[in-house]
């Protein structure tokens, strides 16, 4: 399967290198499954935003033949690159010859400029999501997921999410077992479902300015099975319930204590499903969710997949590389 990754001056190096290594590693498990090519507006050296240089052998205009997967890298220079009509026209031409098209990070803005995301649901780095939505109102922008598949168009969130996207493409092509083997081979986090938020629960809110609340978040995330009701948390923080709820919500950017606890428990359940063989009633008990029915409801709300399906797809099994 021919994979063409498009880069440009100022591209994010990991947007290219992460997916390229995923496809290359997959070819170790399924011999020669992928043939990866890197192209740019002009052949020769292309400087990444971090200062390293990649030398490409083919330009956008010189590439011929059919393409299985066309993938576009993002980077800080995307606002300048999208003004280059030759680049956008080149993407349109290549996309017409590709079975599927994908973007990593702010590369979605280049796909949108080429009209390839019109009428589609798409994601991008959360910092670029507002710009994508405002500049391209015909695109249904969802800034939360790690990656989104809409028909033959795939888009992903920022930087390392490109690895998740590439693993999802490998899973679609070669099966989930191969994708898991690739993840283990690269020693990366087992490939996450696209519906998962770009942020883990602790990352989803800014660090509270008050030390008692910072310590409380650590306690919540480390002890999901404890009594994490508002009265119990308020007592631990040394505040009245009403004052605690108000301060917590203010410090967390609008997330109530109950909502944070639920997200933290859903995150803990996800980790147990990946790393253990505990039955669902045990997972529910260990994460403070009580019973499998509550686990199912909360898990679906936060990860957009059932606990059983998540485990079937992402449970880690011992394997040598």
């Amino acid at each position: 399967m021919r994979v063409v990754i498009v880069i440009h001056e100022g591209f994010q190096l990991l947007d290219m290198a992460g997916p390229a290594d995923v496809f290359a590693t997959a070819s170790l498990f399924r011999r020669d499954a992928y043939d990866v090519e890197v192209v740019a507006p002009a052949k020769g050296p292309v400087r990444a935003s971090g200062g390293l240089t990649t030398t490409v052998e083919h330009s956008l205009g010189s590439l011929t033949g059919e393409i299985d997967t066309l993938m576009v890298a993002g980077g800080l220079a995307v606002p300048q690159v999208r003004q280059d009509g030759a680049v956008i026209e080149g993407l349109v031409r290549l996309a017409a010859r590709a079975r599927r098209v994908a973007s990593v990070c702010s590369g979605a803005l280049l796909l949108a400029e080429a009209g390839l995301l019109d009428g589609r649901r798409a994601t991008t780095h959360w910092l670029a999501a507002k710009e994508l939505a405002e500049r391209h109102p015909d695109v249904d922008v969802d800034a939360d997921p790690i990656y989104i598949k809409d028909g033959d168009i795939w888009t992903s969130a920022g930087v390392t999410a490109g690895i998740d996207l590439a693993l999802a493409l490998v899973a679609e092509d070669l099966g989930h077992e191969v994708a898991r083997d690739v993840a283990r081979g690269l020693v990366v986090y087992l490939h996450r479902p696209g519906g998962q938020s770009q942020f883990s629960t602790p990352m989803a809110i800014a660090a509270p300015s008050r030390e008692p609340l910072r310590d409380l978040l650590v306690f919540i995330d480390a002890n999901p099975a404890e009594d994490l009701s508002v009265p119990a948390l308020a007592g631990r923080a040394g505040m009245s319930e009403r004052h605690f709820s108000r301060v917590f919500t203010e410090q967390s950017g609008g997330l109530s204590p109950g909502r944070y606890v639920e997200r933290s428990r859903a995150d803990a359940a996800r980790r147990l499903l990946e790393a253990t063989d505990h039955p669902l009633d045990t997972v529910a008990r260990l994460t403070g969710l009580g019973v499998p029915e509550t686990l199912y409801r909360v898990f679906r709300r936060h990860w957009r997949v059932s606990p059983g399906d998540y485990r079937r797809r992402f449970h880690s099994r011992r394997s040598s590389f």
Side-chain angles (χ1 to χ4, degrees), residues 26-64:
S27 292
L28 297 178
F29 292 101
R30 293 287 181 88
R31 186 174 299 278
D32 301 327
Y34 296 99
D35 179 20
V36 180
E37 302 173 48
V38 179
V39 302
K43 67 178 183 178
V46 182
R47 188 177 178 85
S49 58
L52 298 179
T53 297
T54 298
T55 300
V56 300
E57 299 178 356
H58 300 286
S59 66
L60 280 172
S62 67
L63 205 64
T64 60

Side-chain angles (χ1 to χ4, degrees), residues 146-149 154 164-165 167-172 175-184 189-196 270 273-276 299-300 303-317:
I146 293 173
Y147 61 83
I148 289 175
K149 176 187 179 184
W154 297 65
D164 295 287
L165 171 63
L167 285 166
L169 296 176
V170 169
E172 182 178 74
H176 292 291
E177 288 291 339
V178 174
R180 281 194 291 265
D181 286 339
V182 172
R184 286 192 290 267
Y189 190 91
L190 272 172
H191 122 241
R192 298 171 287 180
Q196 183 173 322
R270 176 180 57 79
L273 290 170
E274 291 170 0
T276 75
F299 208 86
R300 289 283 302 184
W303 307 128
R304 301 172 190 173
V305 65
S306 72
D309 187 47
Y310 185 91
R311 168 170 275 169
R312 283 189 292 273
R313 296 170 62 191
F314 306 112
H315 181 245
S316 176
R317 296 178 176 85

Side-chain angles (χ1 to χ4, degrees), residues 5-193:
I5 302 177
V6 180
I7 62 174
H8 44 80
E9 286 292 324
F11 75 102
Q12 178 78 41
L13 186 63
L14 196 55
D15 287 5
M16 174 199 73
D21 273 347
V22 168
F23 293 123
T25 304
S27 292
L28 297 178
F29 292 101
R30 293 287 181 88
R31 186 174 299 278
D32 301 327
Y34 296 99
D35 179 20
V36 180
E37 302 173 48
V38 179
V39 302
K43 67 178 183 178
V46 182
R47 188 177 178 85
S49 58
L52 298 179
T53 297
T54 298
T55 300
V56 300
E57 299 178 356
H58 300 286
S59 66
L60 280 172
S62 67
L63 205 64
T64 60
E66 297 301 307
I67 300 169
D68 182 80
T69 303
L70 176 67
M71 182 172 286
V72 182
L76 295 177
V78 161
Q80 291 74 48
V81 176
R82 70 183 176 198
Q83 297 178 33
D84 188 333
V87 172
I88 301 306
E89 291 172 7
L91 290 179
V92 172
R93 288 196 302 272
L94 294 185
R97 305 207 304 267
R99 177 173 69 91
R100 63 189 174 195
V101 177
S103 64
V104 182
C105 195
S106 57
L109 277 75
L110 298 179
L111 294 187
E113 202 69 27
L116 299 172
L117 299 185
D118 288 353
R120 306 268 191 167
R121 180 169 169 259
T123 193
T124 186
H125 192 294
W126 60 273
L127 283 172
K130 182 179 179 181
E131 181 181 3
L132 177 60
E134 291 179 347
R135 187 177 177 89
H136 301 280
D138 290 335
V139 180
D140 180 10
V141 179
D142 186 343
D144 193 47
I146 293 173
Y147 61 83
I148 289 175
K149 176 187 179 184
D150 189 333
D152 57 357
I153 302 289
W154 297 65
T155 52
S156 73
V159 196
T160 58
I163 295 174
D164 295 287
L165 171 63
L167 285 166
L169 296 176
V170 169
E172 182 178 74
D173 296 337
L174 306 177
H176 292 291
E177 288 291 339
V178 174
R180 281 194 291 265
D181 286 339
V182 172
R184 286 192 290 267
L186 292 175
V187 197
V188 297
Y189 190 91
L190 272 172
H191 122 241
R192 298 171 287 180

Side-chain angles (χ1 to χ4, degrees), residues 212-228 232-233 236 260 264:
L213 288 184
R214 291 199 299 270
D215 293 341
L216 190 62
L217 294 189
V218 173
F219 175 80
I220 291 171
D221 296 329
N223 300 277
E226 292 290 327
D227 180 2
L228 302 179
L233 293 176
R236 182 172 287 273
Y260 183 90
S264 181

